[in-house]
Each structure stands twice: as structure tokens, then as C-alpha cells.
Amino acid sequence: MSCPSLETVVAWALDELPQAAAELFEEHYFECDLCFRRAQHVHRLVAELDGSLPPLLTSERREKLSAAEPDMPAIKVRPGERATLHLGGKSQFGLWIMQAAVADATRVDFEARDTHGELLFAHQDVPFDADRNEVVLACQLHYRALPLAGTFCVRLSATDRAGTRRVSEYLLDHEFEAV
Ligand SMILES: [Zn+2]
């Protein structure tokens, strides 16, 4: 077996490889320094991003992830804007940096809908960066396989001390490189 693609390694780390392919890879990586290191690395990243839904990151997790993946794409998007994140090849992970006026917020809620208005996923009381006025969402290439792929219509709802809610909306397009 020659070295599998990084994508295969990611699929392995996510437990998404068929058993025979997983066993082949495991035989290979014990004998291949490169794949062993890759597998360890990807495994750590996957653990870091736990779960299968795109997580919102605390600034601490964001720093850790950026340190581990210095070339990871990070797309800034302002309220009312639309932007595209390309995943594939070397970019297995990417960040959405949503600019939002959250400096005075006590709580931020997040929801993502598809272009038909169907709810994809929602997170209550998510981490936000009050210093930078940012909310950070992490995406992974393997979401390509999920119905989540495509466009997220995101709505952030920030509540401040006085109970005032401020809503910001974003259109986040994902482009996944073909296998
Ligand atoms: Zn190898």
C-alpha cells in the first residue's frame, strides 16, 4: 500500500472508513513514519473539534487550532455579507470568522438554516470573542458527506445586559473539492 491521501487519513480518524480499508491503513501506518505522524496529527485535530456538528470556538480553542494548522483558511465575514470557504486538498479544516457587535453581549445564540429556511443546526449560548467582536465557526472537509454541505444561512442573536437583542445574518458558502 502506498501512502493514502490525507483525506483517507481524516476519514479513518473519524471512523468513516469501511473496516477493510481501515485495517489496511492501520497496517500501513505502523510501518510508515509519515502516515503515523499524519494520523496522530489528524486525530488530535478531530478530537479538538469533537462531535460531528460544526462547533463554535472559544478564543482559546481557536488559538490552539490555528497553531496546529497554520495554513488553515480563515474567512472573515461581516453582517449581511456572503463569503465562500474552500475545503479540500491540504485544507481539511477552515474557520468562519463572523464579525459581530458582541462587545456588550452577555449571551449569543447561533442558528444555521439551508437556503430553503430549514434548520440545519442551532447552538444556544455559544462562545464569542468580546474583545475582537467575533464569533468563530469551525468547518471540516468531511461535512461534505453530510446534508450540511452547501450554504449556511447563519443568524447570530446577541443579547446584552439590558436584554436588547441584536441579530446579524451571514451567508456562508462551502466549496468542497471533488474526490
Ligand atoms: Zn504512508
Coordinates of all heavy atoms in Angstrom, one line a residue, residues 1-4 25 28-29 31-36 38, ligand 1:
M1 N 0.9 -1.2 0.0 CA 0.0 0.0 0.0 C 0.9 1.2 0.0 O 1.8 1.4 0.8 CB -0.9 0.0 1.3 CG -1.8 1.1 1.4 SD -2.7 1.1 3.0 CE -3.9 2.5 2.7
S2 N 0.6 2.2 -0.9 CA 1.3 3.4 -0.9 C 0.6 4.3 0.1 O -0.5 4.0 0.5 CB 1.4 4.0 -2.3 OG 0.1 4.2 -2.8
C3 N 1.2 5.5 0.4 CA 0.6 6.4 1.4 C -0.8 6.8 0.9 O -0.9 7.3 -0.2 CB 1.5 7.5 1.7 SG 3.0 7.0 2.4
P4 N -1.8 6.7 1.7 CA -3.1 7.2 1.3 C -3.2 8.7 1.4 O -2.3 9.3 2.0 CB -4.0 6.5 2.4 CG -3.2 6.4 3.6 CD -1.8 6.1 3.1
F25 N -5.2 0.5 6.3 CA -4.5 1.7 6.7 C -3.7 1.5 8.0 O -2.6 2.0 8.1 CB -5.5 2.9 6.8 CG -4.8 4.1 7.3 CD1 -3.8 4.8 6.6 CD2 -5.1 4.6 8.6 CE1 -3.2 5.9 7.0 CE2 -4.4 5.8 9.1 CZ -3.5 6.4 8.3
H28 N -0.6 -0.2 7.5 CA 0.4 0.7 6.8 C 1.0 1.7 7.8 O 2.2 1.9 7.8 CB -0.3 1.4 5.6 CG 0.6 2.4 5.0 ND1 1.5 2.2 4.1 CD2 0.6 3.8 5.3 CE1 2.1 3.3 3.7 NE2 1.6 4.3 4.4
Y29 N 0.1 2.3 8.6 CA 0.7 3.4 9.3 C 1.6 3.0 10.4 O 2.5 3.8 10.9 CB -0.4 4.4 9.8 CG -1.1 4.2 11.1 CD1 -0.5 4.5 12.3 CD2 -2.4 3.8 11.2 CE1 -1.1 4.3 13.5 CE2 -3.1 3.6 12.4 CZ -2.4 3.9 13.6 OH -3.1 3.7 14.7
E31 N 4.0 1.1 10.0 CA 5.2 0.9 9.3 C 5.7 2.2 8.6 O 6.8 2.2 8.0 CB 5.2 -0.2 8.3 CG 5.0 -1.6 9.0 CD 4.7 -2.7 8.0 OE1 4.5 -2.4 6.8 OE2 4.5 -3.8 8.5
C32 N 4.9 3.2 8.6 CA 5.2 4.4 7.8 C 5.2 5.6 8.7 O 4.2 5.9 9.3 CB 4.1 4.6 6.7 SG 4.4 6.1 5.8
D33 N 6.4 6.2 8.9 CA 6.5 7.3 9.8 C 5.6 8.4 9.4 O 5.0 9.1 10.2 CB 8.0 7.8 9.8 CG 8.8 6.9 10.7 OD1 8.3 6.1 11.4 OD2 10.1 7.1 10.6
L34 N 5.6 8.7 8.1 CA 4.8 9.8 7.6 C 3.3 9.7 8.0 O 2.7 10.6 8.6 CB 4.9 10.0 6.1 CG 4.0 11.0 5.4 CD1 4.4 12.4 5.9 CD2 4.0 10.9 3.9
C35 N 2.8 8.5 7.7 CA 1.4 8.3 7.9 C 1.1 8.2 9.4 O 0.0 8.6 9.9 CB 0.9 7.0 7.2 SG 0.8 7.3 5.4
F36 N 2.0 7.7 10.2 CA 1.8 7.6 11.6 C 1.7 9.0 12.2 O 0.8 9.3 12.9 CB 2.9 6.8 12.3 CG 2.7 6.5 13.7 CD1 1.8 5.5 14.1 CD2 3.3 7.3 14.7 CE1 1.6 5.3 15.4 CE2 3.0 7.0 16.0 CZ 2.2 6.0 16.4
R38 N 1.0 11.8 10.5 CA -0.3 12.4 10.0 C -1.5 11.9 10.8 O -2.3 12.7 11.1 CB -0.5 11.9 8.6 CG 0.1 12.8 7.5 CD -0.2 12.1 6.2 NE -0.2 12.9 5.1 CZ -0.5 12.4 3.8 NH1 -0.8 11.2 3.7 NH2 -0.4 13.3 2.8
Ligands
ZN1 ZN 2.5 6.1 4.5

